Amino acid sequence: MTPQEENFMRKIEAEEKIEPKDWMPEAYRKNLIRQISQHAHSEVIGMQPEGNWITRAPSLRRKAVLLSKVQDEAGHGLYLYSACETLGISRSEMIEQLQTGKAKYSSIFNYPTLTWADVGAIGWLVDGAAIVNQVSLQRTSYGPYSRGMIRICKEESFHQRQGYEAMLALAKGSPEQKAMAQDALNRFYWPALMMFGPHDSESAHSQKSMEWKIKRETNDDLRQKFVDQTVKQIEVLGLEHPDKNIKWNEERGHYDSSDLNWDEFWSVINGNGHCNRQRIEHHVAAHDEGEWVRDAISAYNEKKRAKKAQNAA
Amino acid sequence: MSDQIKDAIQEYATRLGDDSVVLGHRISEWVSYGPFLEEDIAYGNVSLDYIGRARMFYTYAAELANDGRDEDDFAYMRNDREYRNLLLMEMPKGDFAYSQVRQLFADVYYTLLLPELLQSKDETLSAIAAKAIKETKYHLRRSRDWVLRLGDGTEESHKRTQKAVDQLWGYTHELFDMDDTEQLLADEGIGVDVSKLRDAWLKMVSDILTEATLTVPEDSWAVRGGRTGYHTENLGHMLTEMQIVHRSHPGCKW
Amino acid sequence: MTNITEKLELFEVFVRSKRGLDHKHVGSLHAEDHEQALEYARDCYTRRSEGVSIWVVKSADICASQEDDADCFYDPSDDKPYRHATYYVLPDPVNNM
């Protein structure tokens, strides 16, 4: 180990944060860029499935709540792009990687939102799963990422609560509303569990990320936490648990559950989800359509500067 | 308060609520379609302000109606022929220039209207105006800057912005129309006499358009009808989408 | 694919959360100029009334110390304990000085 590497590892082991200007191994930087940008892209692409229901929200209150929630996702994307930019990559590079498929985003957003209840299920389950992961990431070793996570966690609990509240209204509503809620739960429960990633034994980046304290808890541990906390929440809604094998294990102090359909997981990751193409096309289309606006801004700015210079002369 | 005045205020609050919900909805269509992330977030805030306004106006209208209806009955259970919003608000989102020009027209309008409404003898209308004035001050700052940038940006942005101005101009005339209901309320010191705002609006808008190197259109055409429910074809589609879930489950809570 | 947000400049955002407190760095954003950066900072970083005052600074204008300078910047103060109040031992009755 070089003295630089030793110094770096000493900080990691002492739970000191790594900050932007510090020396860091190239692999650490790359690993961080991969994880943070993927996280940022997930927030941004995540605007689409819920955004799909803003214009159809069934009450003005729900419309305002959903709009501010989706807006928060954009905000979180911004915090994360901002954290990632401190590592020496520009936002446009990151966006290009997203649009060309070089960078990934969470597969959960490749599932379609088919009914209003899906908005509730996403807030409750998808944001719920994200929070479990993000709470853990508040202790990540890279300073800007950690601070971003702390900020995001503070805002995210509103997301889960509004989703659960929307589900509650449906579950306690008409038979049609309740059926809608059950259907959404059935469809989003499994993909939400998959959000924690493959089993640790199969995860390509897990070990190094744990060593560098980029990740603080394993995929399976976090998933277990989520499984455990969700049982009671389903019960309170009065809905049926989608996993027929869910069973309390006294010895482990955790719920036992069915294994996931990993073929589906890999299939969606590899582009075969309902919405993979649609999500990227939407992003590209909005981005391309914004081009002339961004051009106009820089042209205007250029003219303004020229005018200022002329006035000064 | 006489029944006649009470009915007029209810109608007035409904109109202002309709303006707000329709424009708020149109802006919300931009979410995830903005030219960059920061703008996506910022424009969302404007939409939220309008939806908030709609809720306040409708809640007041419902209170005056006192027939068991609530804000959502006003927003979701009335057809396009019953909606009383200004046509300008219902025009589709168009491109970014189109939306920002519409926004400028609306923001200048509210910049002039709200301080008058603040003076209303009706405490609720005055209170809503007090809250909305602050929002509009910020909205106008944004839309003004955008029209300047787009008008005086590139050749393409200039062309698009001028086109938007020309296309929307004819819908701005009815912003200043008065009918019996609004005249009654204006006479009572409750509503705003919008016919008196036209000159100031024209001056402010013209100054901004000129600074943006844009041409102020001639008043060669004018389309009217929003306040009587005689809409463009756009509103029907918008309401169909907006109301579908609510109406598919009659009487349900959300 | 075109280069996009680089047409806009990167700004660092500092927010004073309450009167009497310092401005604190909260993140960054892209904007055309200082005015737009201020407006976007308001929309992006104070959606929940987190602030009463905002500063924006062009990221390029920030001059930062380097980790390599840490030795000569900060170590010299390590041997000056007499700058700290705790260095001076006073009798208990007057020790809350």
Side-chain angles (χ1 to χ4, degrees):
Chain A
M1 245 196 252
T2 66
Q4 276 175 322
E5 283 168 345
E6 267 171 31
N7 186 27
F8 172 81
M9 281 316 291
R10 181 195 56 73
K11 280 191 261 187
I12 296 280
E13 272 148 32
E15 295 284 329
E16 277 178 38
K17 298 290 180 216
I18 306 300
E19 293 295 343
K21 302 271 174 188
D22 293 356
W23 182 90
M24 60 187 84
E26 202 38 43
Y28 176 83
R29 183 192 303 273
K30 274 202 184 133
N31 199 325
L32 270 176
I33 289 178
R34 184 189 52 78
Q35 182 169 335
I36 302 175
S37 68
Q38 178 173 331
H39 199 158
H41 297 325
S42 300
E43 298 280 358
V44 170
I45 296 295
M47 295 168 72
Q48 292 180 33
E50 288 176 283
N52 184 32
W53 285 91
I54 290 175
T55 52
R56 289 177 287 174
S59 74
L60 291 177
R61 174 169 170 268
R62 289 284 170 211
K63 197 183 186 71
V65 168
L66 180 59
L67 180 55
S68 56
K69 198 233 159 183
V70 175
Q71 199 196 14
D72 267 357
E73 310 292 358
H76 297 171
L78 179 75
Y79 304 161
L80 288 161
Y81 281 134
S82 151
C84 210
E85 280 174 289
T86 63
L87 290 161
I89 182 169
S90 68
R91 199 194 297 177
S92 63
E93 284 173 272
M94 288 187 263
I95 289 177
E96 187 179 332
Q97 290 178 353
L98 168 70
Q99 296 188 342
T100 55
K102 208 181 143 205
K104 300 250 183 272
Y105 56 90
S106 179
S107 260
I108 190 79
F109 302 118
N110 289 322
Y111 292 84
T113 50
L114 302 177
T115 72
W116 167 251
D118 290 8
V119 168
I122 287 184
W124 165 38
L125 297 170
V126 174
D127 288 78
I131 291 172
V132 169
N133 190 33
Q134 287 163 352
V135 164
S136 167
L137 283 172
Q138 292 182 91
R139 295 187 297 124
T140 189
S141 59
Y142 187 57
Y145 192 25
S146 157
R147 292 190 285 276
M149 279 298 117
I150 290 170
R151 218 183 155 76
I152 288 172
C153 282
K154 239 193 257 170
E155 300 186 352
E156 198 97 13
S157 74
F158 134 62
H159 295 182
Q160 193 186 13
R161 291 174 70 95
Q162 65 82 29
Y164 191 79
E165 191 207 56
M167 285 297 268
L168 202 57
L170 296 173
K172 306 290 174 203
S174 71
E176 290 80 9
Q177 284 179 308
K178 187 169 178 182
M180 203 196 284
Q182 183 70 55
D183 171 50
L185 168 59
N186 294 348
R187 276 183 290 112
F188 276 97
Y189 180 75
W190 304 103
L193 294 185
M194 293 178 194
M195 285 172 68
F196 295 97
H199 285 312
D200 300 314
S201 49
E202 319 262 316
S203 173
H205 307 285
S206 256
Q207 204 197 339
K208 206 64 191 165
S209 292
M210 292 289 287
E211 203 175 298
W212 280 331
K213 297 186 180 172
I214 294 174
K215 273 174 73 165
R216 301 310 306 254
E217 285 168 272
T218 67
N219 294 352
D220 288 327
D221 285 351
L222 291 168
R223 184 166 19 242
Q224 182 72 57
K225 248 184 219 180
F226 180 73
V227 167
D228 290 348
Q229 77 181 32
T230 307
V231 172
K232 182 78 189 166
Q233 293 165 353
I234 295 176
E235 200 184 300
V236 171
L237 288 173
L239 297 177
E240 267 180 51
H241 201 297
D243 186 352
K244 300 298 165 232
N245 295 317
I246 196 91
K247 202 178 161 221
W248 179 251
N249 183 327
E250 191 63 52
E251 204 175 309
R252 292 202 306 129
H254 290 293
Y255 280 93
D256 290 337
S257 53
S258 305
D259 197 18
L260 300 173
N261 181 351
W262 292 109
D263 290 342
E264 178 193 311
F265 174 79
W266 292 113
S267 170
V268 175
I269 282 200
N270 291 325
N272 301 311
H274 270 49
C275 302
N276 296 52
R277 274 152 208 83
Q278 180 192 333
R279 299 294 185 235
I280 292 298
E281 273 166 25
H282 176 138
H283 193 274
V284 170
H287 189 69
D288 288 355
E289 169 59 26
E291 167 109 46
W292 70 267
V293 179
R294 298 186 296 269
D295 283 341
I297 295 184
S298 29
Y300 176 74
N301 206 10
E302 213 42 57
K303 287 185 197 174
K304 212 169 54 175
R305 261 184 228 158
K307 235 180 259 172
K308 219 184 234 170
Q310 204 178 15
N311 287 345
Chain B
M1 197 192 302
S2 77
D3 278 353
Q4 191 198 6
I5 297 209
K6 200 172 122 186
D7 289 350
I9 299 177
Q10 184 198 321
E11 166 70 18
Y12 191 53
T14 307
R15 291 178 181 188
L16 295 173
D18 289 348
D19 288 340
S20 303
V21 85
V22 171
L23 183 54
H25 185 100
R26 283 297 184 216
I27 304 172
S28 80
E29 292 174 348
W30 275 100
V31 171
S32 82
Y33 288 94
F36 48 97
L37 206 47
E38 284 84 350
E39 180 56 27
D40 223 310
I41 300 169
Y43 212 11
N45 273 346
V46 180
S47 176
L48 280 173
D49 287 342
Y50 276 101
I51 292 166
R53 266 183 222 183
R55 295 183 66 189
M56 291 188 285
F57 282 125
Y58 284 154
T59 299
Y60 187 40
E63 190 188 310
L64 292 169
N66 195 24
D67 54 8
R69 286 187 294 166
D70 65 10
E71 57 179 40
D72 288 332
D73 291 311
F74 278 78
Y76 290 92
M77 298 307 287
R78 287 157 57 240
N79 297 326
D80 52 343
R81 299 283 285 134
E82 296 164 282
Y83 258 71
R84 290 292 181 264
N85 61 281
L86 298 161
L87 301 179
L88 178 71
M89 311 303 181
E90 75 196 39
M91 300 313 283
K93 91 186 214 285
D95 66 8
F96 193 70
Y98 191 85
S99 271
Q100 291 306 330
V101 168
R102 179 235 309 268
Q103 198 65 50
L104 176 74
F105 290 170
D107 292 342
V108 172
Y109 182 62
Y110 287 120
T111 298
L112 299 166
L113 185 146
L114 292 170
E116 299 293 323
L117 192 61
L118 183 67
Q119 305 300 322
S120 172
K121 283 185 191 156
D122 184 292
E123 283 175 17
T124 309
L125 291 177
S126 170
I128 298 173
K131 183 169 181 302
I133 281 175
K134 294 183 202 156
E135 297 165 354
T136 285
K137 193 173 164 195
Y138 186 69
H139 299 170
L140 176 62
R141 189 170 150 163
R142 275 178 40 85
S143 59
R144 180 183 171 276
D145 283 353
W146 269 122
V147 169
L148 290 180
R149 285 186 204 111
L150 298 178
D152 195 13
T154 61
E155 199 179 318
E156 181 181 7
S157 72
H158 178 89
K159 224 165 79 188
R160 284 176 186 257
T161 313
Q162 185 65 56
K163 189 172 161 202
V165 169
D166 296 342
Q167 283 179 335
L168 286 166
W169 196 256
Y171 298 100
T172 63
H173 297 90
E174 71 163 354
L175 268 59
F176 309 99
D177 287 350
M178 294 291 285
D179 63 4
D180 291 346
T181 304
E182 296 197 18
Q183 195 58 56
L184 171 69
L185 293 178
D187 293 344
E188 292 287 328
I190 293 169
V192 177
D193 185 348
V194 285
S195 67
K196 292 183 178 152
L197 306 179
R198 165 89 175 154
D199 290 345
W201 184 89
L202 198 58
K203 170 88 173 63
M204 276 178 80
V205 168
S206 302
D207 285 352
I208 294 167
L209 293 183
T210 308
E211 192 184 341
T213 71
L214 297 161
T215 309
V216 181
E218 306 275 333
D219 290 333
S220 56
W221 60 284
V223 182
R224 299 181 147 88
R227 292 293 191 225
T228 59
Y230 186 40
H231 290 279
T232 67
E233 291 176 350
N234 300 295
L235 185 66
H237 290 282
M238 195 202 103
L239 291 183
T240 301
E241 186 175 351
M242 184 176 121
Q243 298 175 336
I244 176 74
V245 178
H246 186 95
R247 290 202 183 200
S248 301
H249 302 265
C252 285
K253 294 264 170 289
W254 303 96
Chain C
M1 191 105 18
T2 43
N3 233 16
I4 36 127
T5 35
E6 273 62 59
K7 284 172 186 155
L8 303 174
E9 279 197 83
L10 190 61
F11 288 82
E12 301 298 322
V13 181
F14 301 77
V15 172
R16 186 204 295 285
S17 58
K18 228 169 80 180
R19 299 188 67 85
L21 297 182
D22 290 325
H23 284 78
K24 199 175 146 205
H25 183 244
V26 293
S28 62
L29 52 75
H30 295 258
E32 169 212 344
D33 56 15
H34 286 99
E35 286 76 34
Q36 195 185 38
L38 260 187
E39 290 173 13
Y40 283 150
R42 177 258 192 197
D43 286 312
C44 298
Y45 286 99
T46 65
R47 291 194 301 286
R48 292 177 175 75
S49 6
E50 291 95 335
V52 295
S53 160
I54 302 173
W55 288 348
V56 290
V57 181
K58 281 186 188 171
S59 309
D61 286 345
I62 290 184
C63 178
S65 65
Q66 300 297 315
E67 196 194 12
D68 295 348
D69 295 333
D71 301 354
C72 61
F73 265 53
Y74 313 113
D75 288 358
S77 13
D78 288 353
D79 63 354
K80 298 182 181 66
Y82 45 81
R83 280 192 191 276
H84 297 274
T86 47
Y87 177 77
Y88 304 93
V89 182
L90 300 182
D92 278 349
V94 294
N95 202 22
N96 61 357
M97 194 181 284

